[in-house]
Amino acid sequence: MARNAEKAMTALARFRQAQLEEGKVKERRPFLASECSELPKAEKWRRQIISEISKKVAQIQNAGLGEFKIRDLNDEINKLLREKGHWEVRIKELGGPDYGRVGPKMLDHEGKEVPGNRGYKYFGAAKDLPGVRELFEKEPIPPPRKSRAELMKDIDAEYYGYRDEDDGVLVPLEQEYEKHVIVEAVEKWKAEKEARLAGEGGGEKEEEEEEEYIYAVQDEEQSDEEMRDAAEGGEGAQTFIAHVPVPSQKEIEEALVRRKKMELLQKYASETLMAQSEEAKTLLGL
C-alpha cells in the first residue's frame, strides 16, 4: 500500500493541486520589514509570525523531543520574537497602532530570561535542559554583615578578662597552685645541690657559707636614732657622726630613675609636653 507522501506526488494529485492554486500566487513574507510599505500587509505578516510562534511554543512543551530538537525550537522562537518586534516597529512607522505598548504579552510571558542575559528567553522544556536549570536557581541570600557599632555593643570589661577574679573562685585556685609549684621548685633545687655536693666532695665536705635568700622580705630600715643607739651601745665600737644627710639605697635608686626619666623626656618629648607634665605634677602635688 502506498504511503501518503507517495500518493501526494502522483500526477493526479499534482494536477488537482495545480487546479486549486490556479490564478493564485503564494506571496512570501519579506525578509526585511522595511521592504513592506503597506499597513494591511505588515499586520498580516505580524499575525503570521504570531501563529508560527504559537505552534512552536506548543511543540517545545514536549520534553521527549530530545535536547538538540528543544534547543533548535527555542532558538527559532527567539528569532521569530525578534522578527515580530521589527514588524511592530514598521507598523508604527506606517501609522498603525503601537503593538509594543498595547499589544498582548502572552507569548513573551511564556519565556523566562536568565538573570544578566536580557533578550534571550527559554520556553517550555528548554528551562529544564542541562546547564540551563542551574542558571535559574537563585543563590541563597548571604547573612547581613554586622556593623562595627553592633559588634562593639556586646564588648565590655568582661570581654577583656577584667572580671575573671570577681567570682572568688579563680584566685584561691591560683594561690594553691602557686604554693605547689614553689614547693616543687625548692625540692628540685635542693636535690640538685645535694647531688652536686656529693659529686664534688669525696670524704670530707667543706663548710659553705649560707647563701643569701634573695626573695626574703627584708625588715624596714632602721631609723638614724636606732642605728646611733646601737652603735653607742657596743663596747669599744667607734662611732661616726654624719654632719650631712646620707641618702639611703632606696633614695639613690629613685634619684637615678628620675634622672633617667628626665633624660628620656628631653630626648623624645617636646617642650609643650614637658610643660604640661610639670603643670600636672604641680596640680597633683607631686
Side-chain angles (χ1 to χ4, degrees):
M1 187 174 181
R3 300 178 182 177
N4 293 333
E6 295 176 353
K7 291 179 179 179
M9 294 303 295
T10 58
L12 181 59
R14 284 182 290 165
F15 177 74
R16 181 61 179 167
Q17 186 68 22
Q19 282 186 339
L20 293 175
E21 295 180 357
E22 185 177 358
K24 296 180 181 179
V25 178
K26 191 173 182 180
E27 190 176 4
R28 296 182 59 182
R29 185 169 68 238
F31 183 75
L32 298 175
S34 57
E35 296 178 358
C36 181
S37 58
E38 298 179 9
L39 180 59
K41 287 187 176 181
E43 292 184 351
K44 170 188 173 183
W45 302 135
R46 176 182 173 275
R47 289 193 298 270
Q48 185 182 22
I49 293 172
I50 292 175
S51 176
E52 294 178 6
I53 293 174
S54 301
K55 292 178 181 178
K56 293 184 182 298
V57 169
Q59 291 177 6
I60 204 172
Q61 304 300 326
N62 184 10
L65 295 175
E67 180 181 351
F68 299 104
K69 180 64 175 177
I70 292 174
R71 290 185 185 274
D72 291 341
L73 280 174
N74 199 75
D75 292 339
E76 292 175 3
I77 293 172
N78 281 274
K79 181 180 177 181
L80 290 171
L81 284 174
R82 289 193 298 270
E83 190 174 354
K84 182 173 74 73
H86 297 326
W87 282 106
E88 289 175 352
V89 172
R90 183 58 179 167
I91 291 172
K92 183 179 178 182
E93 292 175 354
L94 295 174
D98 187 3
Y99 289 107
R101 178 176 298 178
V102 300
K105 303 289 184 180
M106 295 177 60
L107 296 176
D108 293 348
H109 292 330
E110 289 286 336
K112 191 174 182 181
E113 292 181 352
V114 176
N117 186 16
R118 186 177 180 183
Y120 192 87
K121 297 183 178 182
Y122 291 90
F123 296 83
K127 302 175 186 176
D128 298 328
L129 291 174
V132 179
R133 187 186 306 108
E134 291 79 4
L135 298 176
F136 293 111
E137 294 179 356
K138 295 183 179 179
E139 297 182 359
I141 301 175
R145 295 183 61 182
K146 291 185 177 181
S147 62
R148 188 176 184 86
E150 293 176 349
L151 292 175
M152 296 297 293
K153 187 186 298 182
D154 300 329
I155 294 179
D156 50 6
E158 187 175 359
Y159 176 81
Y160 294 101
Y162 292 133
R163 298 179 182 173
D164 293 345
E165 301 175 357
D166 293 351
D167 54 0
V169 178
L170 184 62
V171 175
L173 293 175
E174 289 181 348
Q175 292 177 350
E176 183 180 354
Y177 184 73
E178 182 180 1
K179 293 178 182 178
H180 179 67
V181 171
I182 291 174
V183 171
E184 288 184 353
V186 171
E187 291 179 355
K188 181 179 179 182
W189 175 78
K190 289 181 178 179
E192 291 178 354
K193 183 177 180 181
E194 292 176 359
R196 186 170 61 254
L197 293 176
E200 292 178 356
E204 298 179 0
K205 294 184 178 179
E206 299 179 356
E207 296 182 357
E208 296 183 355
E209 297 180 358
E210 184 179 359
E211 297 182 0
E212 181 182 1
Y213 183 53
I214 62 176
Y215 297 105
V217 179
Q218 299 180 358
D219 297 336
E220 296 182 357
E221 297 180 358
Q222 298 178 352
S223 62
D224 295 341
E225 294 180 359
E226 292 177 355
M227 293 177 65
R228 189 181 299 109
D229 294 342
E232 291 176 356
E235 296 180 1
Q238 187 176 1
T239 60
F240 296 91
I241 299 175
H243 297 282
V244 294
V246 179
S248 63
Q249 183 70 20
K250 185 176 181 181
E251 293 175 348
I252 294 173
E253 291 177 357
E254 291 177 355
L256 291 174
V257 171
R258 286 196 301 271
R259 182 179 177 182
K260 190 66 177 177
K261 286 182 178 179
M262 291 300 298
E263 291 177 358
L264 292 174
L265 284 173
Q266 292 176 359
K267 185 176 181 181
Y268 296 106
S270 61
E271 295 180 0
T272 305
L273 184 60
M274 293 177 64
Q276 293 177 355
S277 177
E278 292 295 335
E279 184 180 354
K281 289 181 179 179
T282 304
L283 294 174
L284 294 174
L286 299 178

